[in-house]
């Protein structure tokens, strides 16, 4: 697998979401799903709906989300819809909760840890997908980026527990950690294969806390905003973002690096490369 192209724009704004998407050689077709993170109630770091308005209009796409597997404001469709209203998502978009009407079972015959992935049934409505990830730390994965959005992000509530538990939902918080990370890779691969090339990836390196947008009480960002990155390769994209954090001279970068390393976050990237999900080698192209 050769070097992947990763595009990078320093200025973070709605216009540049479109500018960087236009640089990608592949185009999204038909009914386009735009996967984002709606933000847990109380979280101060998630990317707000206003940021996505121009992108949604440009793609004529639909913002999609899924319910969570933990107690909070998003673990049922009823509660999640109330939070979408509170966070002003419904002011701008009609958000599609993919698992509102059940699960879609994606087979993973060559999965290392899991042989099936449970995503939201409404995924069947879409011809292509744009994965927009808020790159930041994560309490379990070490970091959250494209690979996490592909796996945990697209999984149904039950599917999230299934991945976290490495195939045993009851072990959601107690499964072997590396097996959980490897199960994420299996799940991510199933979504990539489902869309059969009609999927693109953007990571937004802003509001970077050690905690995820799923945390009700998240720490404030520990490092300055870096930029927007995009690629057709989710492995190269996540690797480029992690490398930019490591290259940072800011004192707070050490805090984010410690979170990534303490959860063995790079293991996810390496395993995704072994599963032929993408390349560890990339060329970073800067866009003015």
């Amino acid at each position: 697998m050769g070097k992947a192209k990763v595009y990078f724009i320093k200025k973070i704004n709605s216009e540049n979401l479109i500018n960087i998407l236009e640089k990608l050689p592949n185009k999204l077709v038909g009914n386009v799903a735009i996967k984002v993170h709606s933000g847990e109630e109380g979280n101060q770091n998630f990317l707000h709906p206003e940021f996505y308005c121009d992108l949604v209009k440009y793609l004529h796409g639909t913002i999609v989300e899924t319910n969570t597997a933990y107690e909070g404001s998003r673990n049922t469709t009823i509660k999640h819809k109330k939070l979408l209203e509170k966070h002003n998502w419904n002011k701008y978009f009609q958000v599609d909760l993919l698992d509102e009407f059940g699960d879609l079972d994606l087979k993973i015959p060559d999965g290392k840890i899991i042989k099936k992935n449970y995503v939201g049934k409404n995924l069947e409505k879409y011809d292509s997908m744009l994965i927009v990830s808020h790159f930041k730390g994560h309490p379990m994965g070490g970091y959250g980026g494209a690979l996490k959005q592909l796996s945990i992000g697209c999984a149904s509530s039950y599917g999230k527990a299934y991945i976290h538990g490495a195939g045993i939902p009851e072990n959601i918080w107690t499964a072997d950690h590396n097996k959980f990370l490897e199960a994420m890779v299996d799940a991510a691969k199933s979504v990539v294969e489902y869309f059969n090339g009609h999927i693109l990836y953007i990571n937004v390196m802003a509001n970077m806390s050690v905690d995820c947008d799923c945390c009700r009480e998240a720490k404030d960002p520990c490092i300055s905003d870096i930029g927007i990155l995009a690629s057709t390769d989710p492995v190269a994209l996540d690797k480029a973002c992690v490398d930019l954090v490591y290259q940072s001279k800011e004192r707070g970068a050490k805090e984010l690096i410690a979170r990534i390393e303490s959860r063995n976050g790079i293991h996810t990237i390496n395993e995704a490369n072994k599963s032929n999900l993408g390349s560890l080698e990339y060329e970073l192209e800067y866009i003015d």
Side-chain angles (χ1 to χ4, degrees):
M1 190 175 290
K3 281 189 177 182
K5 181 67 70 71
V6 178
Y7 296 91
F8 176 39
I9 295 179
K10 286 188 175 181
K11 189 173 182 179
I12 300 173
N13 57 35
S14 298
E15 181 182 0
N16 279 341
L17 276 179
I18 297 171
N19 289 338
I20 202 165
L21 182 63
E22 288 180 333
K23 291 293 183 180
L24 298 180
N26 300 355
K27 302 305 174 186
L28 299 170
V29 298
N31 198 13
V32 181
I34 304 171
K35 177 65 180 73
V36 303
H37 197 301
S38 57
E40 184 58 53
E41 185 172 14
N43 186 279
Q44 75 277 31
N45 299 321
F46 73 97
L47 301 176
H48 289 238
E50 295 87 348
F51 182 62
Y52 298 103
C53 285
D54 292 342
L55 180 68
V56 172
K57 290 177 183 176
Y58 174 78
L59 290 173
H60 304 288
T62 302
I63 293 288
V64 302
E65 248 287 32
T66 52
N67 295 319
T68 62
Y70 54 84
E71 287 297 323
S73 299
R74 300 184 303 134
N75 65 326
T76 69
T77 294
I78 291 174
K79 287 197 291 183
H80 202 160
K81 284 186 174 181
K82 288 181 179 178
L83 188 65
L84 290 170
E85 194 75 39
K86 185 174 182 178
H87 281 174
N88 285 331
W89 289 96
N90 290 342
K91 179 180 177 181
Y92 302 99
F93 319 111
Q94 188 67 40
V95 180
D96 186 0
L97 293 178
L98 295 177
D99 55 335
E100 178 177 3
F101 301 111
D103 297 356
L104 173 65
D105 182 346
L106 300 183
K107 301 293 190 293
I108 319 171
D110 58 347
K112 181 176 181 179
I113 303 298
I114 56 176
K115 301 298 183 182
K116 61 180 68 175
N117 181 30
Y118 299 94
V119 299
K121 184 172 178 57
N122 284 0
L123 201 71
E124 293 177 313
K125 294 160 52 176
Y126 300 97
D127 305 299
S128 58
M129 174 173 270
L130 175 62
I131 296 284
V132 186
S133 307
H134 175 204
F135 187 90
K136 67 284 181 192
H138 193 275
M140 293 193 69
Y143 82 94
L147 292 170
K148 177 182 174 292
Q149 269 282 59
L150 274 169
S151 54
I152 298 294
C154 291
S156 67
S157 181
Y158 176 80
K160 288 177 173 63
Y162 191 81
I163 296 167
H164 271 285
I168 305 174
E170 296 78 12
N171 293 350
I172 181 172
W173 308 125
T174 59
D176 177 84
H177 187 70
N178 280 352
K179 286 185 177 180
F180 151 60
L181 299 178
E182 292 159 10
M184 278 208 301
V185 171
D186 290 337
K189 189 172 184 179
S190 75
V191 176
V192 172
E193 291 178 348
Y194 178 83
F195 281 106
N196 192 29
H198 300 299
I199 186 166
L200 299 174
Y201 311 92
I202 294 176
N203 280 1
V204 182
M205 301 187 75
N207 302 344
M208 286 178 285
S209 165
V210 298
D211 290 322
C212 180
D213 297 342
C214 57
C215 298
R216 186 184 185 98
E217 296 181 4
K219 288 191 175 182
D220 287 333
C222 59
I223 182 174
S224 298
D225 295 352
I226 291 178
I228 304 174
L229 292 87
S231 183
T232 60
D233 184 323
V235 178
L237 180 60
D238 279 4
K239 180 67 162 56
C241 290
V242 169
D243 288 347
L244 285 170
V245 172
Y246 272 82
Q247 292 162 16
S248 173
K249 304 299 183 184
E250 291 189 38
R251 183 179 301 177
K254 293 180 180 178
E255 188 178 351
L256 185 50
I257 290 168
R259 173 57 60 90
I260 295 169
E261 293 182 349
S262 67
R263 273 55 167 192
N264 200 19
I266 197 67
H267 184 65
T268 308
I269 295 173
N270 290 334
E271 285 295 311
N273 169 250
K274 290 178 185 177
S275 293
N276 296 316
L277 260 177
S279 175
L280 296 175
E281 301 293 324
Y282 63 88
E283 177 186 350
L284 200 62
E285 182 171 321
Y286 294 84
I287 303 168
D288 292 333

